[in-house]
Amino acid sequence: MNNSSLFYGFRGNIVFPDQQSIFNLGLKNDSESKNKIFGDFFEMIREQKKLESHYQNRVYFLIFKNMYDNIFHCQLARKKQFNKRDIIDNNIIEFEDSDYPYINIFVELKSQKFLIESNTQVFENYNTCSNVIENIINNNLKDKDVKIVLNPIIEEEKFWSYINDKNKIYNIEFKLVRPNAFDAEDDVDTLLREAEKNVGAEIVNINFCNPEGKLRPHKVGINSYIKYISNGGGSWKITRLGSNGKKEKISSKQNSTKVNIPLLCENLMNKTLSKDEIESIIMSFKKIEAVEKFMEER
């Protein structure tokens, strides 16, 4: 029997369009407003119990399970149709039936972190899960003309593990999203604030390129970007020469932080989790957190 369940860490960020519309005219593009939009969405799930969405020709359901103070528990189910045969009055009858394989998701509302369960029998990879969650949330935020972006929470050293003097580095790309939960005051946040103020951009892409593969990034120059992205504030991509002599692309989305939570699969089916189980979830959120303001709050 498996005594733990594997989860991957993400952080959600509410993003406004580059231009204001009649739908978000009354909403301020600031942390307070974005945090309220985020909280209101999960309150809506709590009230409606289930939301349906279509993504890549499949039907998905986000289902409310329970809420424990600041921790929201829901399930993401995929509708699966299959042919079934039965014997009725000595005849074999074939008919279509439905199944709903699912995974568990925990959301820490204040820090807007997600723990997404890994189950390859339901979803091929955890990024597919994050894409489906984005799709469901964004379909229900259309009336406000805003959207959510889910970015992986990763270890800073993951980026540097792919950088060394032996490999040719052709391209490094940073995608930076101004997180509504950080309220940081560093160089990256200043850059994003200025981009939003002067250009109207909520997302900033930075691309470093050398066709000869001679990029040599140093921590002094770009570590602030890596730290920001590692906390769930964006993503990075590296194009380098692989060991097989061919170019390979590596993304932060392939390196989301994983954590084993001591939760039995059968217990996750219960309506209510025990105090010890809830505490283990809280501790798991702590393990993947690196934003100082959230580390100090518990």
Side-chain angles (χ1 to χ4, degrees):
M1 181 184 295
N2 191 353
N3 293 323
S4 65
S5 299
L6 180 63
F7 286 78
Y8 286 89
F10 286 80
R11 195 180 313 262
N13 303 296
I14 299 294
V15 177
F16 276 63
D18 292 343
Q19 294 184 340
Q20 198 171 45
S21 72
I22 59 172
F23 299 104
N24 58 44
L25 196 59
L27 299 173
K28 289 185 177 180
N29 188 353
D30 57 19
S31 294
E32 183 178 355
S33 181
K34 290 179 177 181
N35 293 339
K36 186 177 187 305
I37 292 170
F38 187 89
D40 287 348
F41 170 78
F42 284 95
E43 182 60 31
M44 179 179 65
I45 301 180
R46 189 178 183 180
E47 292 175 356
Q48 297 188 15
K49 306 302 182 185
K50 179 180 67 177
L51 295 177
E52 179 180 341
S53 182
H54 295 253
Y55 180 75
Q56 294 185 346
N57 299 318
R58 288 183 173 179
V59 181
Y60 296 90
F61 298 93
L62 192 60
I63 304 164
F64 172 71
K65 187 74 174 174
N66 211 329
M67 189 169 180
Y68 309 95
D69 190 18
N70 187 41
I71 305 295
F72 193 97
H73 181 195
C74 55
Q75 293 171 326
L76 180 63
R78 172 171 59 88
K79 185 176 182 179
K80 180 181 179 181
Q81 293 181 302
F82 60 94
N83 291 326
K84 186 176 179 180
R85 298 174 181 84
D86 200 357
I87 298 177
I88 300 176
D89 296 331
N90 298 321
N91 291 315
I92 297 178
I93 305 299
E94 184 172 311
F95 58 95
E96 193 176 77
D97 206 346
S98 297
D99 189 19
Y100 297 88
Y102 68 92
I103 60 162
N104 290 279
I105 300 167
F106 294 100
V107 184
E108 193 176 66
L109 296 179
K110 194 158 190 177
S111 64
Q112 297 171 23
K113 293 194 300 292
F114 290 70
L115 284 173
I116 299 175
E117 186 181 12
S118 175
N119 187 336
T120 55
Q121 293 181 342
V122 181
F123 292 96
E124 185 177 343
N125 60 67
Y126 54 84
N127 283 311
T128 301
C129 300
S130 69
N131 292 337
V132 174
I133 295 168
E134 277 188 8
N135 179 260
I136 292 176
I137 296 177
N138 289 334
N139 281 344
N140 287 275
L141 291 180
K142 284 181 179 179
D143 62 329
K144 293 182 174 63
D145 197 20
V146 297
K147 66 178 183 178
I148 191 170
V149 177
L150 261 65
N151 289 308
I153 295 174
I154 60 177
E155 298 174 4
E156 289 182 45
E157 288 305 314
K158 281 288 186 181
F159 175 87
W160 297 107
S161 68
Y162 297 111
I163 306 293
N164 57 65
D165 295 333
K166 297 178 182 179
N167 288 95
K168 287 186 176 183
I169 308 296
Y170 299 96
N171 187 274
I172 297 174
E173 181 182 345
F174 296 141
K175 181 178 181 180
L176 305 169
V177 181
R178 184 180 165 193
N180 35 290
F182 284 13
D183 290 329
E185 293 183 3
D186 55 22
D187 292 341
V188 182
D189 189 70
T190 300
L191 168 68
L192 293 175
R193 288 179 190 274
E194 290 298 314
E196 192 279 324
K197 177 182 177 182
N198 299 320
V199 187
E202 285 276 290
I203 299 173
V204 174
N205 289 295
I206 300 175
N207 198 308
F208 302 94
C209 183
N210 185 303
E212 297 180 1
K214 294 183 178 180
L215 288 182
R216 290 292 178 264
H218 297 283
K219 286 189 176 183
V220 175
I222 63 171
N223 204 50
S224 58
Y225 297 106
I226 304 305
K227 182 176 181 180
Y228 198 86
I229 289 170
S230 297
N231 288 335
S235 59
W236 51 254
K237 291 181 182 178
I238 300 170
T239 303
R240 70 173 191 172
L241 190 67
S243 57
N244 60 358
K246 297 181 180 180
K247 286 185 179 181
E248 63 179 5
K249 292 186 178 181
I250 304 162
S251 170
S252 57
K253 292 188 176 182
Q254 302 166 328
N255 291 275
S256 181
T257 297
K258 58 186 177 182
V259 57
N260 280 294
I261 307 179
L263 295 169
L264 294 173
C265 292
E266 53 265 37
N267 289 359
L268 283 169
M269 298 173 66
N270 296 335
K271 179 61 179 176
T272 304
L273 299 175
S274 68
K275 289 184 178 180
D276 288 342
E277 289 169 332
I278 297 168
E279 185 61 29
S280 68
I281 295 167
I282 292 172
M283 293 304 297
S284 296
F285 273 118
K286 280 187 175 182
K287 286 180 182 178
I288 66 172
E289 184 60 84
V291 177
E292 193 170 324
K293 63 175 282 190
F294 296 127
M295 295 175 70
E296 293 174 351
E297 284 182 352
R298 286 191 177 276

